[in-house]
């Protein structure tokens, strides 16, 4: 669980500040201080009275903006205006998008800058996905799920995946936003309308800042649209990021075309699963939403922060948010939601791992090495877990990936490809966390065929509709 579970760590320096922005805090509150990569002064309010800023009591505006050059001053006022004027949902997604694009433009730690994808790279990705689909046809009964194959830059990945991030993060942010308005007594809420509005505007901005930072950083590491085990991109579109694929394979000692093709196999396998298991997307996203519903807000801390909140001291709310007031409840329902999500992710990633290995093992000389590299990347958390831990306090890790992969491989041996893939027809047919402990017992157990039951229920529903129409006549 993250120390700052809901992403209210501090936002990044504006790119325009360059190196100067990283050196502004002589007290050690800048980058890397206290384990917070975003610095200690979130929105430049440090120089206001009572904030410990030098000279703040004499001239708060000078203390607030004195370190900025004239070109930055307008940007600072504009950002402050965006924060306080926002009236949308629980997250300022315009700000999130803006910050993510800025992070991408800055480049990654190794100095790699984003760049438009050229024709040769697009052609290579299209050919890799086409070949991957041909190989997958021989090892799975699920047909191709990729209508198109695209090569994205990092910025294009940000643009294409933000709608999915919104669906994942909004339930948590909504819970936080509601708590901000509920801490005041009912009789005071009418009088405190402007204050509540300001708090929610700032909360939306804080979420937007952190989500933008996290998504922008993630864009520098992912190799496709399904790295986190969830379908983040548009349906039916297999996407790879050539720049990140090159960085991923740089020190592996594996030919670049093999790396690209192996990652294309994984992307295409994910696309098949999400395209032809219609309930799976809602199942995964619903598990995240169920987890969000179990969030418990420590209202005593929030009440204290609101009671002491002064419009000239907005950092008080920021500090309160960092003190861990938002934590998941330790209830059976919350544990069940987390277990449901972790098991589903393990089954998805395990199936992809098993199917891709079957397709690649006799064709790619480096298949085993690439498989192990990707397994370790997912098991250690990687970009997906770190991003979710920052945003919503949820470690999105398929903890039992190896167990699930072994189970799917055993199912293939025992029941064949059709018998294995047929389990995806209904969520109740899938293995559970307990089944991962006893894979042999699950493999040789008889299972109900839900397809016939669904067919009967559908016919019954159509029959009732027909009878109702006759009665109306």
């Amino acid at each position: 669980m993250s120390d700052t579970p809901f992403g209210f760590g501090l936002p990044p320096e504006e790119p325009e500040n360059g190196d100067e922005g990283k050196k502004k805090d002589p007290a050690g509150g800048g980058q890397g201080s206290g384990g917070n990569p975003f610095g200690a002064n979130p929105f430049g309010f440090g120089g206001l009275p009572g904030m410990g800023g030098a000279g703040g009591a004499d001239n708060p505006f000078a203390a607030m903006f004195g370190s900025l050059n004239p070109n930055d001053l307008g940007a600072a006022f504009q950002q402050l205006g965006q924060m306080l004027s926002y009236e949308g949902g629980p997250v300022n997604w315009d700000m999130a998008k803006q910050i993510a694009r800025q992070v991408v433009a800055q480049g990654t730690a190794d100095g790699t800058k984003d760049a438009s994808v050229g024709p040769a790279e697009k052609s290579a990705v299209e050919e890799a996905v086409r070949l991957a689909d041909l190989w997958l046809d021989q090892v799975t009964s699920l047909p191709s799920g990729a209508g198109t194959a695209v090569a994205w830059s990092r910025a294009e990945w940000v643009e294409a995946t933000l709608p999915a991030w919104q669906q994942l993060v909004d339930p948590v942010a909504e819970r936080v936003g509601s708590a901000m308005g509920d801490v005041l007594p009912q009789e005071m809420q009418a009088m405190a309308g402007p204050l509540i509005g300001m708090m929610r505007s700032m909360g939306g901005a804080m979420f937007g800042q952190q989500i933008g930072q996290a998504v922008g950083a993630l864009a520098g590491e992912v190799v496709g649209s399904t790295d986190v085990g969830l379908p983040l991109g548009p349906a039916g579109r297999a996407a790879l990021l050539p720049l990140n694929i090159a960085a991923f394979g740089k020190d592996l000692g594996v030919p670049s075309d093999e790396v690209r093709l192996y990652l294309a196999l994984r992307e295409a396998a994910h696309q098949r699963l999400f395209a032809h298991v219609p309930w799976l997307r809602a199942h995964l996203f619903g598990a995240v939403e169920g987890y969000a519903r179990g969030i418990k807000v420590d209202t005593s801390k929030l009440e204290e922060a609101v009671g002491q909140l002064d419009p000239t001291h907005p950092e008080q709310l920021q500090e309160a948010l960092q003190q861990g007031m938002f934590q998941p409840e330790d209830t059976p329902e919350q544990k069940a939601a987390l277990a449901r999500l972790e098991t589903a992710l393990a089954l998805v990633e395990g199936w992809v791992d098993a199917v891709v290995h079957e397709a690649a093992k006799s064709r790619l000389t480096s298949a085993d090495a690439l498989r192990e590299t990707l397994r370790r990347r997912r098991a250690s958390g990687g970009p997906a877990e770190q991003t979710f831990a920052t945003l919503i306090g949820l470690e999105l890790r398929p903890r039992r990936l190896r167990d699930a992969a072994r189970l799917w491989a055993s199912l293939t041996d025992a029941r064949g490809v059709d018998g294995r893939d047929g389990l995806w027809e209904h969520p109740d047919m899938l293995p559970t966390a307990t089944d991962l402990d006893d894979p042999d017992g699950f493999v040789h157990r008889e299972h109900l065929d839900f397809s016939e039951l669904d067919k009967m229920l559908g016919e019954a529903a159509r029959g009732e509709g027909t009878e109702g129409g006759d009665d109306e006549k």
Side-chain angles (χ1 to χ4, degrees):
M1 191 64 63
S2 170
D3 292 334
T4 55
F6 290 94
F8 289 104
L10 307 175
E13 298 287 352
E14 288 292 331
E16 291 83 1
N17 291 350
D19 292 336
E20 292 300 318
K22 299 176 183 176
K23 302 173 183 177
K24 286 193 297 186
D25 189 351
Q31 188 131 343
S33 173
N36 189 332
F38 305 129
N41 186 3
F43 300 108
F45 290 107
L48 288 176
M51 294 185 183
D58 297 329
N59 188 343
F61 289 99
M64 183 176 179
F65 299 114
S67 63
L68 298 178
N69 62 49
N71 292 332
D72 291 332
L73 187 57
F77 275 117
Q78 183 180 15
Q79 185 175 3
L80 178 60
Q82 288 176 347
M83 286 174 52
L84 298 180
S85 64
Y86 176 69
E87 297 179 351
V91 177
N92 189 331
W93 286 102
D94 290 338
M95 179 174 287
K97 178 179 176 179
Q98 176 185 350
I99 295 296
R101 293 294 297 263
Q102 290 174 355
V103 172
V104 165
Q106 289 175 344
T108 50
D110 62 0
T112 305
K113 297 285 187 179
D114 194 23
S116 299
V117 180
E121 292 172 317
K122 291 180 180 179
S123 177
V125 166
E126 291 171 356
E127 177 60 23
V129 172
R130 185 193 67 79
L131 184 56
D133 263 334
L134 287 176
W135 290 1
L136 289 172
D137 283 340
Q138 302 173 37
V139 295
T140 175
S141 62
L142 298 180
S144 174
T148 58
V150 294
W152 282 342
S153 66
R154 293 166 178 170
E156 288 172 326
W157 182 89
V158 168
E159 295 278 352
T161 61
L162 271 180
W165 290 115
Q166 184 171 355
Q167 184 178 352
L168 288 165
V169 176
D170 269 352
V172 180
E174 182 66 44
R175 184 80 177 87
V176 174
S178 298
M180 286 183 171
D182 293 342
V183 294
L184 292 178
Q186 189 67 35
E187 62 273 13
M188 291 181 60
Q189 290 191 15
M191 294 185 294
L195 176 61
I196 294 174
M198 184 186 75
M199 291 171 60
R200 287 182 172 172
S201 294
M202 292 186 66
M206 290 174 186
F207 261 117
Q209 287 268 2
Q210 285 302 114
I211 292 167
Q213 174 71 24
V215 171
L218 188 59
E221 301 180 21
V222 295
V223 295
S225 71
T226 55
D227 277 29
V228 301
L230 296 172
L232 296 179
R237 188 174 301 175
L240 296 176
L241 283 71
L243 183 62
N244 292 354
I245 290 175
F248 171 80
K250 182 178 180 182
D251 299 320
L252 296 181
V254 177
S256 59
D257 58 339
E258 285 201 20
V259 174
R260 184 192 308 111
L261 185 50
Y262 193 87
L263 295 175
L265 280 165
R266 289 183 53 83
E267 177 74 9
H270 277 104
Q271 293 294 337
R272 288 182 181 229
L273 202 54
F274 290 122
H276 300 292
V277 182
W279 53 265
L280 183 57
R281 178 187 175 95
H283 182 75
L284 290 169
F285 281 70
V288 175
E289 188 171 352
Y291 180 87
R293 284 196 300 269
I295 293 168
K296 181 180 180 180
V297 179
D298 187 343
T299 55
S300 63
K301 289 184 179 180
L302 191 53
E303 286 173 3
E304 182 180 356
V306 172
Q308 298 176 357
L309 186 62
D310 187 311
T312 62
H313 296 163
E315 94 290 353
Q316 292 173 350
L317 180 60
Q318 178 80 10
E319 292 172 359
L321 293 170
Q322 289 182 270
Q323 293 173 2
M325 66 173 63
F326 305 110
Q327 298 290 344
E329 286 192 276
D330 189 21
T331 63
E333 293 79 11
Q334 186 73 343
K335 290 178 180 179
L338 184 58
R340 177 184 171 216
L341 179 60
E342 288 183 342
T343 301
L345 285 171
L347 292 175
V348 168
E349 293 296 280
W351 183 88
V352 168
D353 179 275
V355 167
V356 167
H357 180 67
E358 186 65 24
K361 65 181 181 180
S362 62
R363 296 181 172 96
L364 298 179
T365 57
S366 302
D368 289 336
L370 289 169
R371 183 190 200 188
E372 186 60 28
T373 297
L374 285 162
R375 279 182 165 187
R376 291 179 179 179
R377 188 176 191 237
R378 289 296 274 131
S380 64
E385 180 191 340
Q386 294 163 12
T387 298
F388 269 82
T390 299
L391 295 182
I392 57 177
L394 179 61
E395 295 180 352
L396 193 66
R397 185 193 302 183
R399 300 179 186 276
R400 308 196 64 180
L401 167 60
R402 294 176 188 269
D403 293 338
R406 281 194 292 268
L407 187 148
W408 288 118
S410 297
L411 282 168
T412 307
D413 294 338
R415 304 186 187 183
V417 168
D418 291 341
R420 177 200 65 198
D421 294 346
L423 294 178
W424 290 105
E425 291 180 1
H426 196 283
D428 290 342
M429 296 176 67
L430 287 178
T432 64
T434 303
D435 294 323
L436 293 179
D437 296 327
D438 181 23
D440 289 338
F442 179 85
V443 168
H444 299 292
R445 187 188 313 157
E446 292 295 327
H447 294 275
L448 295 175
D449 185 354
F450 282 87
S451 60
E452 288 300 319
L453 177 60
D454 288 341
K455 181 179 179 181
M456 291 171 60
L457 291 174
E459 291 175 349
R462 286 193 295 272
E464 289 177 3
T466 302
E467 291 176 6
D470 292 339
D471 292 340
E472 292 175 4
K473 293 178 182 178

